[in-house]
Amino acid sequence: MAFDIDMIKKVYANVVERVDVAREITGKPLTLAEKILYSHLWDGNPKKAFSRGKDYVNFAPDRIALQDATAQMALLQFMQAGKTKVAVPTTTHCDHLIQAKNGASSDLQSALNTSNEVFNFLESVSNKYGLGFWKPGAGIIHQVVLENYAFPGGMMIGTDSHTVNAGGLGMVAIGVGGADAVDVMAGMAWELKFPKLIGVKLTGKLSGWTAPKDVILKVAGIVSAKGGTGAIVEYFGEGATSMSCTGKGTICNMGAEIGATTSTFGYDESMERYLRATDRSDVADAANKVKDYLTGDTEVYANPEQYFDEVIEINLSELSPLLNGPFTPDLSTKVGSDMTDAANKNDWPLKVEWGLIGSCTNSSYEDLSRASSIAQQAIDKGLKMKSELGINPGSEKVRYTADRDGIIGIFEKLDAKIFTNACGPCIGQWARYEDPKNAPKNSIIHSFNRNFAKRADGNPNTHAFVASPEMVAAVAIAGRLDFNPITDKLINENGEEVMLDEPTGWELPPKGFEVKDDGYLAPEEDGSHVQIAVKNDSERLQLLEPFTPLGNDLTGIKLLIKAHGKCTTDHISMAGPWLRYRGHLDNISNNCLIGAVNAFGMKTNFVKNQLTGEFGGVPDTARAYKAAGIKTIVVGDHNYGEGSSREHAAMEPRHLGVAAVIVKSFARIHETNLKKQGMLGLTFANEADYDLIQEDDTFNFVDLNEFAPNKPLNIEVVHADGSKDTIVVNHTYNEGQIEWYNEGSALNLIKKENA
């Protein structure tokens, strides 16, 4: 039986009327995304048609998921909101704080030894406020959500950008900052600009070496890393219904890499099969009663150009296996000779040192079974592994079942490292090097979603390429980036030429899923007696103090850093070893913007202190300004804040005295996070004004007292020689968000309203 079945049945009880009303109001057939959005309005039945990309809308999500790295700050904030229990079903998942090094058992014990204070805090807060708690080792948040909580037609938010994975089970699932989650946990509406819609029509059928992973790698190559910003991507067509539910999850998961708000598929037989296989026949039965309301209308899919803002068509029968990378997830290269040419042209190392299979993107039973079919061939055909191999199962349920069925044993015969059911290398939790900064240039291949510089192992010289699990296995066996298993032969230990056969696998385990201890702890019905203790001298946890409103008199502001080029949330607030401080705002602020490249000097973590004329690290310089009572400003390029939903990337600058961030364009989640923390997130009205900003500049906001929706602001930029420029900046603040700014943060407003 499913978790929260009564809540799911309530959603289905409302969906028919609300979607019918939405069709009448809009005067047209609806996409799946529109059906879910209109059936989850905060005010109930739709009363007007919303303009895509323009109207801000209040929604009522069905549930929330938190992962341990972001849950710390989210729950620290929720503790300040004056509530006794979360308002919607919420879960906490401990998957980020486990470092991959020696193998599952050893690594899990090491995490328990080093992060027990944090795990105990999360467990006790969850118990007190009514959250379900998934212990360390239980699995990766998004795989666990897909197995237990996702349901067709639902809406959820999560404090991780890959929350979108649940779109594989027909949800609108969106990654948000912790402050957004706190709003909903506290019983308030969740606000989102009504998304644009991108339709992806899939024709044909996957076969041979081509996998669902290749679909999203192809889409990323077409759309680019920011082309999906502000849009929901909806997949449909015969190719969509022919894919497994977990394959759909893989595609939705990596939609975060094109900046999409989320991605989703309509309810179909593969989803029903998955629901029944994961002990949720009650959900499948309920969904079947309203199944026409859990997918796009027939007219929409027949004439998609009339109903989507953009339509992409991909013939799966013609799709080739792809490798995307390095350093960006949207650079696609076909396997084989195309990769040979690209690698030689760009000086990418062709030798592959590691193959890594797993992460929230590709760690299902199907993924492991197809990869193991390639691994078994290496054993049967006498091939010796040329690269090292690492495996991260998605959940204890997947791991236990795969172990029972001999899949894990196949990898172990090839001396693969079986890591904990956790994120591990995908988020930089990989102890590959003693000194990653001085590690050599090399290539790795993985089935993860992100491959930014330093992402997996901290080494800026690691060239990471993204591929399907079966292709990762094949390339790891061959040890060469340009190996094409469709055409290329390998020499086995007997000197014989052999070829790898096409991968095979199971959509679902033939003998069903099985697990002894899935790692779930239910909260007490009444947690009022639960005590939560945070030590004053803790390095890991720190109770929050409310941010002070910045006010309307922002003058004499100094430039902290002008970031050059790509500046992701990894650059603003690094993961890896810094994960240990995710619950301690002051300590983690020591990584603030240390990965950003300063446009003046083109170095990282090296900026000028205008008070002394000396150069130093970004956090130290920011603290010096703050101690002097001077606020600062950050300037950035396009898609600033791309990456995970990491609210620390907004809270750290706020804590260190940054009042405004001015960029050419924002990634959606990060812009919202800045607003939530009471800061100014602004964009250049004229992008060329980015070039006007000089190293010794001082900024004066001349009309902030007139801060209003749709009204640009003017900033006087005073240069060191006394000359001045006035730049115009745009913003997307509405009345409610301006109130966040005026109160100092969204949380301050929640506390005020609860009081």
Side-chain angles (χ1 to χ4, degrees):
M1 181 173 172
F3 287 95
D4 309 307
I5 185 63
D6 291 338
M7 175 269 286
I8 295 171
K9 288 180 177 178
K10 184 179 178 181
V11 171
Y12 291 161
N14 292 328
V15 69
V16 174
E17 180 183 0
R18 292 182 179 184
V19 169
D20 286 347
V21 171
R23 279 203 201 98
E24 185 177 341
I25 287 175
T26 60
K28 66 180 185 65
L30 299 178
T31 66
L32 168 64
E34 289 173 310
K35 289 181 180 181
I36 297 175
L37 293 170
Y38 277 111
S39 64
H40 284 83
L41 298 176
W42 179 255
D43 293 328
N45 280 352
K47 297 178 178 62
K48 60 169 285 190
F50 295 108
S51 298
R52 299 175 192 170
K54 294 182 180 179
D55 289 339
Y56 281 91
V57 182
N58 286 332
F59 292 102
D62 300 313
R63 66 173 314 109
I64 298 170
L66 314 172
Q67 44 95 332
D68 51 355
T70 52
Q72 296 169 65
M73 197 56 69
L75 292 177
L76 283 164
Q77 291 178 89
F78 181 75
M79 290 168 63
Q80 307 296 312
K83 295 291 185 177
T84 58
K85 192 177 283 281
V86 290
V88 301
T90 306
T91 50
T92 303
H93 304 257
C94 296
D95 62 351
H96 275 55
L97 300 180
I98 304 169
Q99 187 178 55
K101 185 176 183 180
N102 299 316
S105 179
S106 171
D107 294 345
L108 179 57
Q109 186 57 54
S110 177
L112 292 172
N113 293 341
T114 57
S115 296
N116 213 38
E117 177 188 11
V118 172
F119 296 142
N120 287 340
F121 168 76
L122 295 175
E123 183 181 338
S124 62
V125 176
S126 298
N127 200 17
K128 184 175 183 68
Y129 294 107
L131 293 79
F133 181 75
W134 291 82
K135 297 185 293 186
I140 304 172
I141 177 173
H142 311 303
Q143 180 66 30
V144 173
V145 165
L146 198 70
E147 290 174 5
N148 295 279
Y149 299 112
F151 66 97
M155 174 185 277
M156 70 173 289
I157 58 174
T159 59
D160 188 284
S161 54
H162 294 101
T163 299
V164 295
N165 187 79
L169 204 36
M171 295 195 88
V172 162
I174 300 176
V176 300
D180 276 353
V182 170
D183 284 357
V184 179
M185 289 158 65
M188 299 177 68
W190 173 62
E191 185 183 67
L192 178 72
K193 185 184 287 186
F194 204 82
K196 294 183 178 180
L197 300 176
I198 298 174
V200 180
K201 182 178 182 180
L202 302 178
T203 62
K205 188 175 182 179
L206 295 171
S207 62
W209 282 92
T210 313
K213 185 76 161 198
D214 297 303
V215 178
I216 185 57
L217 295 181
K218 178 72 173 179
V219 171
I222 294 170
V223 175
S224 87
K226 62 179 180 180
T229 301
I232 291 179
V233 182
E234 184 171 327
Y235 293 84
F236 62 95
E238 61 179 351
T241 56
S242 69
M243 268 187 282
S244 68
C245 178
T246 52
K248 293 177 173 72
T250 291
I251 293 170
C252 292
N253 184 295
M254 271 197 71
E257 272 50 71
I258 61 170
T261 301
T262 191
S263 305
T264 194
F265 287 77
Y267 179 58
D268 62 15
E269 292 179 359
S270 73
M271 295 185 191
E272 180 180 355
R273 290 193 298 270
Y274 187 74
L275 285 169
R276 296 193 188 283
T278 51
D279 298 322
R280 289 177 287 170
S281 290
D282 47 355
V283 178
D285 292 340
N288 285 342
K289 294 176 183 177
V290 292
K291 61 182 179 182
D292 290 343
Y293 290 83
L294 305 179
T295 188
D297 286 334
T298 303
E299 301 94 323
V300 170
Y301 293 160
N303 302 286
E305 290 81 6
Q306 296 179 26
Y307 303 101
F308 291 98
D309 298 292
E310 179 183 352
V311 177
I312 298 167
E313 185 168 337
I314 298 173
N315 186 339
L316 302 185
S317 301
E318 299 174 356
L319 188 62
S320 299
L322 297 169
L323 276 68
N324 280 31
F327 306 129
T328 185
D330 59 351
L331 178 60
S332 295
T333 307
K334 290 182 180 179
V335 300
S337 58
D338 284 11
M339 177 55 75
T340 307
D341 295 342
N344 289 334
K345 178 181 178 181
N346 295 289
D347 195 27
W348 300 336
L350 281 169
K351 180 184 176 184
V352 175
E353 295 194 0
W354 270 89
L356 296 158
I357 296 169
S359 85
C360 62
T361 324
N362 279 106
S363 56
S364 68
Y365 184 91
E366 180 181 38
D367 292 326
L368 297 184
S369 70
R370 285 178 64 85
S372 72
S373 75
I374 305 303
Q376 183 64 54
Q377 290 183 56
I379 297 168
D380 295 341
K381 298 184 180 188
L383 293 167
K384 186 177 177 63
M385 291 287 300
K386 297 293 176 58
S387 308
E388 294 190 72
L389 186 63
I391 311 291
N392 278 86
S395 70
E396 178 57 14
K397 181 180 287 185
V398 165
R399 188 212 64 79
Y400 188 93
T401 305
D403 192 32
R404 179 201 66 189
D405 295 346
I407 291 173
I408 300 296
I410 293 170
F411 293 124
E412 289 175 332
K413 288 177 183 177
L414 295 176
D415 294 326
K417 282 264 181 76
I418 311 299
F419 294 125
T420 315
N421 313 317
C423 302
C426 183
I427 58 157
Q429 282 283 52
W430 187 20
R432 183 184 178 193
Y433 297 111
E434 290 294 329
D435 182 11
K437 292 182 180 178
N438 295 310
K441 184 176 180 178
N442 73 104
S443 287
I444 65 174
I445 184 170
H446 59 56
S447 68
F448 306 161
N449 40 47
R450 296 209 166 121
N451 59 350
F452 305 138
K454 301 189 267 187
R455 171 78 179 187
D457 59 10
N459 177 7
N461 300 311
T462 292
H463 294 55
F465 294 84
V466 185
S468 68
E470 45 267 60
M471 189 57 63
V472 171
V475 170
I477 290 167
R480 282 186 61 85
L481 196 60
D482 57 353
F483 174 66
N484 184 351
I486 302 171
T487 59
D488 296 351
K489 295 178 180 178
L490 297 170
I491 306 298
N492 69 8
E493 293 179 297
N494 298 323
E496 302 163 334
E497 287 188 338
V498 297
M499 289 189 69
L500 296 174
D501 302 320
E502 293 177 353
T504 59
W506 293 274
E507 175 185 355
L508 296 163
K511 294 188 288 185
F513 283 107
E514 187 178 349
V515 66
K516 282 190 175 179
D517 178 8
D518 61 7
Y520 176 70
L521 295 176
E524 294 188 31
E525 190 67 31
D526 179 6
S528 59
H529 68 282
V530 176
Q531 298 296 312
I532 301 168
V534 174
K535 294 182 292 186
N536 291 332
D537 61 349
S538 172
E539 290 186 350
R540 303 291 298 273
L541 298 166
Q542 180 188 46
L543 296 177
L544 294 176
E545 294 291 335
F547 286 132
T548 302
L550 292 168
N552 294 326
D553 182 22
L554 293 183
T555 56
I557 297 178
K558 299 296 185 182
L559 177 69
L560 178 60
I561 185 172
K562 178 180 175 181
H564 170 80
K566 187 186 285 283
C567 189
T568 71
T569 50
D570 278 341
H571 296 96
I572 305 168
S573 175
M574 288 183 175
W578 291 95
L579 285 174
R580 65 182 283 105
Y581 300 121
R582 283 284 178 88
H584 198 295
L585 181 57
D586 193 56
N587 282 348
I588 199 170
S589 293
N590 289 321
N591 78 2
C592 183
L593 285 158
I594 64 175
V597 176
N598 185 9
F600 305 106
M602 302 303 288
K603 294 181 179 180
T604 59
N605 202 27
F606 195 71
V607 296
K608 186 175 183 179
N609 181 336
Q610 294 186 43
L611 303 179
T612 65
E614 298 177 352
F615 288 82
V618 180
D620 292 339
T621 304
R623 289 183 190 278
Y625 285 130
K626 183 178 180 180
I630 297 173
K631 296 180 176 66
T632 53
I633 202 165
V634 171
V635 173
D637 212 317
H638 275 298
N639 209 24
Y640 182 89
E642 169 195 356
S644 72
S645 61
R646 203 166 302 160
E647 68 186 305
H648 299 78
M651 295 185 77
E652 291 174 32
R654 178 72 159 101
H655 176 65
L656 295 180
V658 175
V661 179
I662 308 175
V663 299
K664 294 179 181 177
S665 65
F666 281 109
R668 176 190 62 83
I669 298 175
H670 187 67
E671 181 182 20
T672 301
N673 285 348
L674 292 173
K675 294 177 180 181
K676 290 277 185 178
Q677 303 306 332
M679 300 171 70
L680 293 171
L682 310 168
T683 55
F684 291 105
N686 178 8
E687 289 183 8
D689 286 348
Y690 171 91
D691 298 321
L692 293 177
I693 308 303
Q694 299 175 22
E695 192 170 29
D696 294 300
D697 282 348
T698 300
F699 301 81
N700 300 314
F701 284 75
V702 299
D703 54 1
L704 191 56
N705 60 323
E706 301 172 12
F707 193 16
N710 303 314
K711 185 179 186 299
L713 294 172
N714 292 279
I715 303 175
E716 180 185 67
V717 185
V718 183
H719 305 301
D721 62 2
S723 63
K724 299 177 181 179
D725 284 298
T726 297
I727 63 172
V728 180
V729 292
N730 296 325
H731 65 84
T732 60
Y733 288 74
N734 58 29
E735 292 285 2
Q737 294 168 341
I738 290 173
E739 196 170 359
W740 296 344
Y741 176 80
N742 290 334
E743 291 294 334
S745 71
L747 181 60
N748 286 357
L749 183 61
I750 292 173
K751 290 168 65 176
K752 182 178 179 180
E753 291 174 345
N754 284 336

